[in-house]
Amino acid sequence: MVKFSSVPLFIAWRYWRSKSADRFGRVVTWLGSIGIVLGVMALVIVLSVMNGLQQQQKDNVLSTLPHAVIQPLDGNLAADFKLRQPLPPFVQSAVGINNSDVILQSTTGIGAARIIGVTDVADDPALAWDELDLPQLLAPSDYHILIGAAVANELKLQVGDKVRVMLAANSQYTPFGRVPVQRLFTVAAVLHGDSSSDQRQVYANLQDVGRLLRIPPEEVQGVRLLLDDPFKITELPDYFPASEWKIADWREQKGEFFQAVAMEKNMMGLLIGLIIVVAIANIVTSLSLMVLDKQGEIAILQTQGMKKRQVMQIFIFQGLLVGVIGTLLGCGLGLLLAEFINPIIGVFNPGAVALPVLFDGTQLMLIVIATLGLTLLSTLYPAYRAAKIEPADALRYE
């Protein structure tokens, strides 16, 4: 037996458990409860799966992509920039970079690419090709180059071939006129990236690219940053103001993809959230019907000394009982089904791809709080109507 110290809560509990003569009202109440359970359950499952997909894409796509490249607006950086420039605490690694758009010329044709000068490859996960010995392939002054598969196929280049790298941005005067800075490089390896933009990139030793760009050996153009969370790039301007630094980040290449994933998650949450809104509308209907059904009892309670504030509390508590039980039950079922969603799907479709699931505690709390908040708001009007009942009018024909 549940004990109550609050009279309105005790009456609300009795009303919720009792079998009202108005069967339609009971049906509406049960529909509201079931709707909240299904809505919260579906919202928890869908958002957990979408969170897992987003995290999986973040790990797969952004783990080998430099999250940001920072460059000073004027001049270059000192090679020992990490000692001179304090880095944000969320930066995992920072390596120097020299890069430029170049024209590659082979014996069979000409193509465009972006050359990136790198060093300290052990500290740069973006260059973590396990099958390649990068320190040996990109030794200083050897003028070796790693070429993307798209460029290699276009220019019919293989390992060991010579390719002329021409820098159109810089040029030099010769007796034959003004010609672009150029240098012969040897293809050391062909890289197979995950996207066409990756395959248009070529890599060479940082010092070799620096000589091509006429940058002193003790300086670099900028820094490649890897963050502990790629989505923290929005905090970089706080450490590197736009008046002094130029920041290029992963959003230039992959931003549209992650925006599409975020938009899809928001739209799915919105559509499923409408189930909860409809269920809460049923609570308004059921409470309104109960107020009409219980007018006589409300009037009697008021004649026995119950205040209007306590009358309101009866129906507020009753609506919250439906909301709390439905929300907690829906959240629990959602967590349970999301945890075992892959075995459940495997029963109906053994060949289905496994879905990643990631639970976000903050997100779950927001779902619970928002549902309970909407439930509370839905009880205010019926409770107000109940408090407006006058005993004399309600008992006139009794």
Side-chain angles (χ1 to χ4, degrees):
M1 179 67 180
V2 181
K3 295 183 179 180
F4 298 94
S5 59
S6 170
V7 173
L9 181 58
F10 172 74
I11 297 174
W13 176 259
R14 292 295 298 269
Y15 279 176
W16 184 74
R17 292 184 59 204
S18 66
K19 294 183 178 179
S20 173
D22 184 2
R23 294 186 176 181
F24 177 73
R26 295 296 296 175
V27 170
V28 174
T29 301
W30 279 106
L31 288 177
S33 302
I34 294 173
I36 291 178
V37 172
L38 294 178
V40 173
M41 181 181 68
L43 199 57
V44 170
I45 294 174
V46 169
L47 291 183
S48 298
V49 172
M50 293 298 295
N51 290 337
L53 290 173
Q54 191 176 50
Q55 184 63 40
Q56 185 183 66
Q57 294 301 324
K58 185 194 298 187
D59 294 339
N60 293 342
V61 176
L62 300 182
S63 60
T64 58
L65 188 71
H67 298 158
V69 175
I70 59 170
Q71 296 178 262
L73 294 180
D74 299 321
N76 300 314
L77 282 175
D80 58 347
F81 60 89
K82 286 188 276 190
L83 300 178
R84 304 188 182 188
Q85 177 67 35
L87 296 175
F90 50 84
V91 172
Q92 286 187 331
S93 68
V95 295
I97 180 176
N98 290 324
N99 65 100
S100 178
D101 293 326
V102 296
I103 297 173
L104 304 180
Q105 182 182 26
S106 67
T107 57
T108 59
I110 295 178
R114 184 167 188 82
I115 191 169
I116 298 177
V118 295
T119 187
D120 298 332
V121 292
D123 298 330
D124 194 344
L127 307 175
W129 294 298
D130 296 335
E131 69 277 8
L132 300 178
D133 186 0
L134 294 183
Q136 181 178 358
L137 291 177
L138 299 182
S141 303
D142 283 352
Y143 292 99
H144 284 173
I145 192 171
L146 309 181
I147 239 172
V151 179
N153 294 334
E154 180 182 338
L155 302 182
K156 296 180 173 58
L157 290 172
Q158 298 178 355
V159 175
D161 292 346
K162 297 289 185 179
V163 59
R164 185 176 301 276
V165 179
M166 295 182 289
L167 188 63
N170 289 350
S171 59
Q172 57 186 354
Y173 291 97
T174 68
F176 303 99
R178 189 173 182 176
V179 297
V181 175
Q182 52 187 297
R183 179 83 192 196
L184 280 176
F185 281 75
T186 302
V187 177
V190 176
L191 307 175
H192 298 275
D194 295 331
S195 66
S196 58
S197 60
D198 296 336
Q199 294 178 12
R200 302 300 301 188
Q201 294 178 352
V202 297
Y203 299 89
N205 183 271
L206 182 71
Q207 296 181 11
D208 295 345
V209 177
R211 294 189 189 97
L212 190 67
L213 297 171
R214 297 182 178 179
I215 296 176
E218 66 277 4
E219 295 181 357
V220 291
Q221 274 186 334
V223 185
R224 292 159 60 99
L225 300 180
L226 185 73
L227 314 183
D228 56 10
D229 183 355
F231 290 167
K232 290 184 179 179
I233 52 174
T234 55
E235 301 179 26
L236 286 179
D238 297 335
Y239 298 87
F240 303 97
S243 59
E244 302 177 12
W245 300 88
K246 175 186 176 183
I247 302 177
D249 56 62
W250 59 265
R251 290 177 296 183
E252 297 180 1
Q253 297 184 36
K254 307 294 183 181
E256 293 181 359
F257 171 76
F258 281 92
Q259 286 179 358
V261 173
M263 183 179 298
E264 184 177 355
K265 182 172 72 171
N266 293 336
M267 291 303 299
M268 290 292 292
L270 177 61
L271 292 176
I272 296 176
L274 293 177
I275 300 176
I276 301 176
V277 174
V278 173
I280 290 173
N282 287 335
I283 294 178
V284 178
T285 304
S286 65
L287 288 179
S288 299
L289 292 174
M290 182 162 287
V291 169
L292 294 175
D293 185 43
K294 303 294 185 181
Q295 285 189 76
E297 297 180 16
I298 295 171
I300 293 173
L301 291 173
Q302 287 181 326
T303 59
Q304 293 180 344
M306 179 170 282
K307 299 178 181 179
K308 292 184 179 297
R309 172 176 55 83
Q310 292 176 306
V311 173
M312 290 187 64
Q313 290 176 359
I314 292 174
F315 294 93
I316 290 175
F317 285 144
Q318 186 175 358
L320 286 179
L321 282 173
V322 175
V324 169
I325 294 174
T327 301
L328 295 181
L329 186 59
C331 190
L333 289 175
L335 292 173
L336 184 64
L337 292 177
E339 181 68 26
F340 297 99
I341 190 170
N342 288 311
I344 294 173
I345 294 177
V347 173
F348 301 98
N349 187 3
V353 178
L355 295 175
V357 177
L358 177 64
F359 298 114
D360 186 339
T362 302
Q363 194 174 72
L364 294 174
M365 287 298 299
L366 287 176
I367 293 173
V368 172
I369 292 173
T371 304
L372 294 180
L374 290 174
T375 304
L376 176 61
L377 290 176
S378 71
T379 64
L380 296 181
Y381 176 73
Y384 171 76
R385 296 296 301 173
K388 295 290 287 183
I389 294 175
E390 295 295 338
D393 295 335
L395 300 175
R396 180 177 300 173
Y397 302 103
E398 294 293 332

